[in-house]
Amino acid sequence: MKDNIALIGFMGSGKSTIGRVLAKFLDMKFVDIDRLIAAREKKTIPEIFAEKGEAYFRKLERDIVYEESLENNIVIATGGGVIIDNENIKALRETSYVVYLDCTIDCIYDRVKNSKTRPLLNVENMYEKIKDLHSKREILYKISADYTVKIDKSSNMYDTAEKIKQAYIYGN
Ligand code: S3P
């Protein structure tokens, strides 16, 4: 069994919320890559994007993903763009059981539409942007994952965490 569990998926798919519950269920530590990035820079994610640019953010993301991959017994919530960089996937898959939270577009939109903390979605037509980015990334989420769990508006975070726990312990 791999030491860690890494949750991947689009913005708003519930990686942090479900990750916290899953970590409790399995008595593992929870870490959130975006929080670690913000703490290291002493800035919010929108501030990092605005002041230093996306490439700078991606470099930090890569460094922190690599460092956390070396830890044991942790549940890792990644940022939605983690799969863009193959180095991240390689590092995560080395030590983590990678789980894709496959959330419907409508559910994603519902959860992020009032959020101001996601610079990539700070555009006029957010729904179209989500659809476009999602269609480009979907294949990467799928091929990176050991296990995929479907999520829609009716999903409950405890049931989802329980499904992941069962798949992790008993295989899928
Ligand atoms: C991003 C997702 C965000 C954050 C950054 C970029 C992306 O994390 O890492 O805004 O490229 O999808 P969440 O998925 O937690 O919103």
Side-chain angles (χ1 to χ4, degrees), residues 11 15 34 45 49 57-58 78-81 118-120 137:
M11 292 172 262
K15 300 175 296 281
D34 277 351
I45 302 294
F49 268 74
F57 171 83
R58 296 296 174 201
T78 61
R118 293 179 168 100
L120 295 181
R137 290 179 173 180

Side-chain angles (χ1 to χ4, degrees), residues 2-3 6 8 10 13 16 21 23 26 31 41 64 73 83 88 97 109 114 120 137 140 146 152-153 158 165-166:
K2 299 254 181 88
D3 284 343
I8 62 171
F10 204 82
S13 58
S16 304
V21 175
L26 287 163
V31 301
E41 285 294 291
I64 293 179
N73 212 39
I83 38 77
N88 291 337
Y97 183 69
Y109 179 67
N114 296 318
L120 295 181
R137 290 179 173 180
L140 296 172
D146 294 301
D152 62 26
K153 287 184 194 170
Y158 298 102
K165 175 184 161 183
Q166 297 295 326

Side-chain angles (χ1 to χ4, degrees), residues 5 59 107:
I5 301 176
K59 160 90 176 70
C107 180

Side-chain angles (χ1 to χ4, degrees), residues 13-140:
S13 58
K15 300 175 296 281
S16 304
T17 326
I18 292 164
R20 256 191 211 95
V21 175
L22 182 63
K24 279 227 167 66
F25 282 2
L26 287 163
D27 199 20
M28 291 162 85
K29 187 181 152 199
F30 173 72
V31 301
D32 185 315
I33 299 293
D34 277 351
R35 272 178 174 257
L36 295 176
I37 294 172
R40 184 162 300 179
E41 285 294 291
K42 300 191 178 62
K43 285 187 167 74
T44 64
I45 302 294
E47 281 167 354
I48 300 171
F49 268 74
E51 293 169 23
K52 307 259 177 107
E54 181 172 351
Y56 182 86
F57 171 83
R58 296 296 174 201
K59 160 90 176 70
L60 277 172
E61 182 177 50
R62 190 184 319 129
D63 291 347
I64 293 179
V65 163
Y66 180 76
E67 290 164 26
E68 292 307 312
S69 302
L70 304 175
E71 297 292 322
N72 297 317
N73 212 39
I74 59 173
V75 174
I76 308 169
T78 61
V82 80
I83 38 77
I84 294 169
D85 188 330
N86 196 41
E87 287 301 311
N88 291 337
I89 297 306
K90 257 184 20 206
L92 290 172
R93 290 189 57 90
E94 232 11 64
T95 53
S96 304
Y97 183 69
V98 178
V99 177
Y100 171 33
L101 305 187
D102 184 5
C103 191
T104 62
I105 303 278
D106 283 354
C107 180
I108 289 169
Y109 179 67
D110 245 36
R111 291 175 181 183
V112 302
K113 65 182 178 213
N114 296 318
S115 155
K116 295 271 171 280
T117 60
R118 293 179 168 100
L120 295 181
L121 299 182
N122 204 359
V123 294
E124 202 154 307
N125 194 337
M126 191 195 276
Y127 190 82
E128 279 307 309
K129 176 75 187 189
I130 292 171
K131 261 189 14 195
D132 179 50
L133 208 51
H134 187 274
S135 74
K136 289 185 179 125
R137 290 179 173 180
E138 192 173 19
I139 182 72
L140 296 172

